[in-house]
Amino acid sequence: MATSDLIRTIGQAIIDALSPRRRSSRRQTRRAPSTRRTGTRSGTRTDASGYPGDFTGRPVLSYDPHPGRVADPGEVVWTWVPFEEDHSQGKDRPVLVISRDGHWLLGLPMTSKDHDRDARQEASEGRYWVEVGSGSWDSSGRVSEVRVDRIIRVDPEKIRRLSAPISRERFERVADGVRRHR
């Protein structure tokens, strides 16, 4: 990247960071950020935050966990998850890896919040959840749910912690949810 492009990108990021945040409508949250875009190793375009945006295609779902230091589909990892309405902000949370997209891993955000009670309201907002039970990703042993309608891209180099894989049966329930709501 040329120096002038880098300066413009940094300047835009500063302006974006200092601008007051407006509540976004549902339509706006699905749109890519309006900042300058640059290329990455996989050819996916990124915004000034470095996040290339949520995955929008149909992923090739695979269950292929292997013990080791590299995250594989079927494993839960801890990493930074960008907010839908502002990719420059987010939080650290567990993510179920379901596939790959070039350099990026594709994953589904997880939560310990029980969405069974508010399933109708969640569905009206276009959010769908599948329960996967408890696992080593939650030190309190709480039951977790996976959001199956939002697929995020995860930089494998920015994974904070690998956890255990989920069972093939649980993965297939999640995969069915992804297919139904994508």
Side-chain angles (χ1 to χ4, degrees), residues 76-79 136-139 158-163:
V76 176
V77 300
W78 275 84
T79 191
S136 63
W137 56 85
D138 186 297
S139 60
K158 296 192 177 168
I159 290 174
R160 185 173 62 80
R161 177 173 65 109
L162 288 173
S163 290

Side-chain angles (χ1 to χ4, degrees), residues 2 5 11 13 58 62 68 80 95-96 115 118 126 131 157 165 175:
D5 288 338
R58 282 205 170 273
S62 63
W80 184 80
V95 170
L96 173 62
H115 287 288
D118 64 352
E131 187 178 299
E157 297 166 15

Side-chain angles (χ1 to χ4, degrees), residues 124-140:
S124 73
E125 295 292 326
R127 294 185 296 259
Y128 300 92
W129 302 86
V130 171
E131 187 178 299
V132 292
S134 60
S136 63
W137 56 85
D138 186 297
S139 60
S140 299

